Amino acid sequence: MIFSNLVVKKDEPIYLQIEKHIKQGIKNGELKKHSKLPSTREVSKFLNISRNSVISAYEELESMGIIITKRGIGTFVLIEGENENYEYNVDYIERINAYGDTLKKFDIVKSELPYKKGMISFKSISPESHLFNLDDFKRSFLDAWAYEGANLLNYGYAKGYKPLIDYFLEYMKEKQINTINKDILITNGFTEAFDIVISSLTNKGDTIICEEPTHNTALKIMKAYGLNIVQVKMDKEGLNIKSLEEALSNHNPKFGYLIPSYNNPTGIVTKTERRKEIYKLFRKFSVPIIEDGFNEELLYTSSPIDPIASLCGSGNGVIYIGSLSKILFPGLRIGWILADDKLVDILESVKRGKNIHSSFLDQSAFYYYLKSGAFNRYVKNVRKYYRDKYNLVVNLVEKYIPYEYITGEGGLHIFVKLKNNLDARKLLDLCYKDNVLFMPGDIFYENMQNTSKFITGNDTFRIGFGRVTDEDIEKGIKIIGKNIRLLTKA
């Protein structure tokens, strides 16, 4: 009550004290415009004073236009209080730490050329939204609501929604991964999963071995934590074994980070025998592997290859990070970490410390979607759709773009290395003027956005085709080819 801190004095008229108290309450913001005042009877009883004193105060304030009494409704404040403020400025840019500065520096959404309406964009490797079987997902959402109800809107568990965890454990078994003494932590997609693993298991100055080139987001996170990144070159079979052995021998790495299926950005699928060689080398040097299970379901030319984690048997030397975001519903942000159960127990606490838990509503709806068999039907349908797009892109690149090589065996992208060290960023600048966008390849290398004269990968670029129409694919690739010819003549 507004009058709870009013102490009535004997040496001043009570109605004046009430009037001043209300004015002060309005001034300091305790009483807002349109707020209701207690009745005169309530005030007199609360302060143990004459009701006439309260009536006199209210009448005086009403005559000043400060309050208004509405018969049968009550008395209300008519004016706003003074908005007091005391300006205080801080130079936050000067206070940003190395972590924040690194993530800002390598934020490609802000640093790369932006998409503009009407452009043909090959930047994204997201799935095509119109292929999503929305009716199936709506039914799954309703199933989740029917079974769980309002529980889905309350706090959940950091580890994740138990039925979804169990589903993914079975899903991993289908990939020939031994799940004995292993467990799963549900995360907000790959990015959070990788961040949780890296932040929990590495220290500044540690070395990570990864493919060259590799996932830009992973590079960005590793740089933000102050890790040394050693990239190992690839051929069409996967990591070069001789170079990998040299790197393992010379750098004493803390981890290896690998994308054996549809390496982002090259699209290279590491072959079965090469996977075995790679795994045995990491095992020989006692270096654990973080395996990024990227787009494993979108292999077009043969059956999917078992993950490297399947080679580990009952061992725990491989941490597997899974996500279906590049195939289905990226907006749900659902991923998972499969690892040693004792490690997952710790990572669960890290997850809880970061954001308590991932959305249980999303997890539950996704679980009922997967359980219904809708995902398997969806993958069968979209595999042909994306395979046709993939073949179209490859054929058009071969026809219109002079290249040293192209890589990519499926997924939603291919990677192009230009002839004669042609600068892909100069090419991008020309194409941008023609309303065509693609992802320059240098962002996938450890020296991304280097200021030195030579930048590794400066003659490469990635073409993402998942959300581009066939007509725009042909038109866009023709424009890229035209501008290559312009640069070559210059």
Side-chain angles (χ1 to χ4, degrees):
M1 188 179 186
I2 181 64
F3 295 103
S4 60
N5 60 345
L6 173 61
V7 178
V8 179
K9 303 173 184 175
K10 294 181 179 180
D11 58 350
E12 183 180 10
I14 294 174
Y15 83 92
L16 283 179
Q17 294 181 56
I18 293 172
E19 181 184 319
K20 288 178 182 178
H21 190 74
I22 291 174
K23 285 180 178 178
Q24 186 61 40
I26 294 172
K27 182 178 180 180
N28 62 26
E30 290 180 58
L31 290 172
K32 303 290 185 183
K33 187 176 181 180
H34 305 308
S35 60
K36 188 177 182 180
L37 292 172
S39 69
T40 55
R41 189 182 305 279
E42 288 174 318
V43 177
S44 67
K45 185 177 180 180
F46 182 80
L47 295 177
N48 196 25
I49 59 174
S50 167
R51 186 183 176 196
N52 288 335
S53 296
V54 185
I55 292 172
S56 296
Y58 276 27
E59 287 176 345
E60 183 65 22
L61 289 168
E62 190 162 10
S63 70
M64 298 176 188
I66 294 174
I67 65 174
I68 186 172
T69 298
K70 299 178 181 180
R71 187 175 296 277
I73 301 176
T75 302
F76 300 87
V77 177
L78 270 179
I79 63 172
E80 291 282 9
E82 294 178 15
N83 183 20
E84 293 187 26
N85 62 77
Y86 309 92
E87 190 169 311
Y88 174 44
N89 292 308
V90 175
D91 187 351
Y92 288 107
I93 304 304
E94 289 295 320
R95 296 176 180 231
I96 296 295
N97 61 18
Y99 178 83
D101 186 61
T102 301
L103 291 178
K104 171 65 169 64
K105 179 181 178 182
F106 296 114
D107 185 349
I108 60 174
V109 172
K110 294 179 178 179
S111 60
E112 294 297 326
L113 291 171
Y115 170 81
K116 294 179 181 179
K117 189 175 181 180
M119 280 187 159
I120 298 172
S121 177
F122 296 113
K123 282 182 70 173
S124 173
I125 55 173
S126 299
E128 176 54 76
S129 302
H130 75 72
L131 296 176
F132 297 162
N133 40 4
L134 297 183
D135 288 338
D136 284 328
F137 188 74
K138 287 177 186 176
R139 283 192 290 271
S140 301
F141 181 87
L142 293 175
D143 285 343
W145 192 260
Y147 282 102
E148 301 288 353
N151 290 333
L152 295 176
L153 301 179
N154 214 323
Y155 282 112
Y157 301 99
K159 191 177 173 186
Y161 182 61
K162 181 65 163 55
L164 184 61
I165 290 173
D166 292 341
Y167 181 93
F168 281 141
L169 283 169
E170 291 302 315
Y171 186 68
M172 292 288 92
K173 289 178 184 177
E174 291 174 9
K175 292 177 179 288
Q176 306 306 313
I177 294 175
N178 187 325
T179 61
I180 295 174
N181 296 324
K182 297 184 179 70
D183 208 346
I184 278 178
L185 173 71
I186 304 294
T187 65
N188 293 310
F190 164 82
T191 302
E192 187 193 37
F194 189 70
D195 184 89
I196 287 173
V197 171
I198 291 298
S199 63
S200 303
L201 293 172
T202 65
N203 296 302
K204 184 177 180 180
D206 284 344
T207 296
I208 303 287
I209 284 181
C210 59
E211 297 141 333
E212 183 183 78
T214 195
H215 190 7
N216 171 266
T217 296
L219 282 174
K220 183 170 60 178
I221 291 172
M222 290 187 285
K223 282 180 175 289
Y225 283 110
L227 303 180
N228 299 319
I229 302 166
V230 175
Q231 291 191 291
V232 176
K233 293 186 181 298
M234 305 173 71
D235 56 40
K236 289 189 176 183
E237 298 290 313
L239 277 173
N240 180 284
I241 292 299
K242 182 179 179 183
S243 299
L244 175 60
E245 185 163 16
E246 290 175 356
L248 288 166
S249 176
N250 296 334
H251 295 284
N252 189 28
K254 192 73 168 284
F255 278 99
Y257 165 64
L258 307 178
I259 317 172
S261 294
Y262 313 107
N263 163 272
N264 185 9
T266 66
I268 291 173
V269 176
T270 301
K271 305 307 176 285
T272 300
E273 287 305 312
R274 184 67 61 87
R275 292 185 188 214
K276 292 177 182 177
E277 293 178 272
I278 290 168
Y279 171 74
K280 288 176 181 177
L281 271 179
F282 276 97
R283 182 172 175 267
K284 173 183 175 182
F285 286 91
S286 301
V287 177
I289 296 170
I290 301 168
E291 181 175 11
D292 183 351
F294 181 76
N295 268 0
E296 286 180 340
E297 285 70 21
L298 287 183
L299 183 64
Y300 305 139
T301 55
S302 62
S303 299
I305 301 174
D306 293 337
I308 291 175
S310 68
L311 300 171
C312 203
S314 59
N316 64 2
V318 180
I319 299 170
Y320 181 96
I321 297 178
S323 170
L324 301 176
S325 296
K326 289 297 182 286
I327 306 170
L328 178 70
F329 307 153
L332 288 184
R333 306 306 304 137
I334 292 178
W336 68 94
I337 300 169
L338 173 76
D340 178 272
D341 53 7
K342 295 183 180 63
L343 173 59
V344 169
D345 182 60
I346 294 171
L347 299 184
E348 177 188 355
S349 297
V350 176
K351 165 77 176 177
R352 186 178 289 111
K354 286 179 179 286
N355 52 30
I356 303 179
H357 65 82
S358 299
S359 165
F360 260 39
L361 181 63
D362 292 352
Q363 291 182 63
S364 180
F366 196 48
Y367 163 70
Y368 283 102
Y369 175 85
L370 295 169
K371 180 186 176 185
S372 72
F375 176 65
N376 292 331
R377 295 192 298 272
Y378 167 81
V379 170
K380 287 179 182 178
N381 291 334
V382 300
R383 192 175 279 145
K384 181 183 184 306
Y385 176 85
Y386 290 128
R387 181 176 62 238
D388 291 344
K389 280 196 178 296
Y390 165 81
N391 289 331
L392 176 65
V393 170
V394 170
N395 290 336
L396 288 170
V397 168
E398 289 177 343
K399 184 175 181 181
Y400 294 109
I401 296 180
Y403 62 85
E404 185 172 322
Y405 61 76
I406 57 174
T407 57
E409 300 174 50
L412 303 174
H413 64 281
I414 65 166
F415 196 62
V416 180
K417 187 178 190 304
L418 296 164
K419 283 186 174 181
N420 304 317
N421 294 319
L422 198 67
D423 193 325
R425 286 197 173 270
K426 290 181 179 178
L427 175 61
L428 177 58
D429 288 339
L430 290 177
C431 291
Y432 194 73
K433 294 174 184 176
D434 289 334
N435 289 319
V436 172
L437 265 175
F438 54 77
M439 194 62 80
D442 54 28
I443 69 166
F444 302 103
Y445 292 78
E446 191 278 331
N447 65 176
M448 51 183 178
Q449 299 180 7
N450 202 329
T451 56
S452 64
K453 185 175 180 182
F454 179 76
I455 301 175
T456 308
N458 70 328
D459 54 355
T460 63
F461 64 97
R462 188 188 70 187
I463 293 179
F465 53 79
R467 301 174 66 179
V468 190
T469 66
D470 290 357
E471 180 183 357
D472 280 348
I473 286 173
E474 182 164 8
K475 182 180 177 182
I477 291 176
K478 281 182 178 179
I479 288 172
I480 294 172
K482 178 203 76 172
N483 285 315
I484 288 175
R485 291 193 295 274
L486 288 176
L487 279 176
T488 304
K489 292 177 183 177

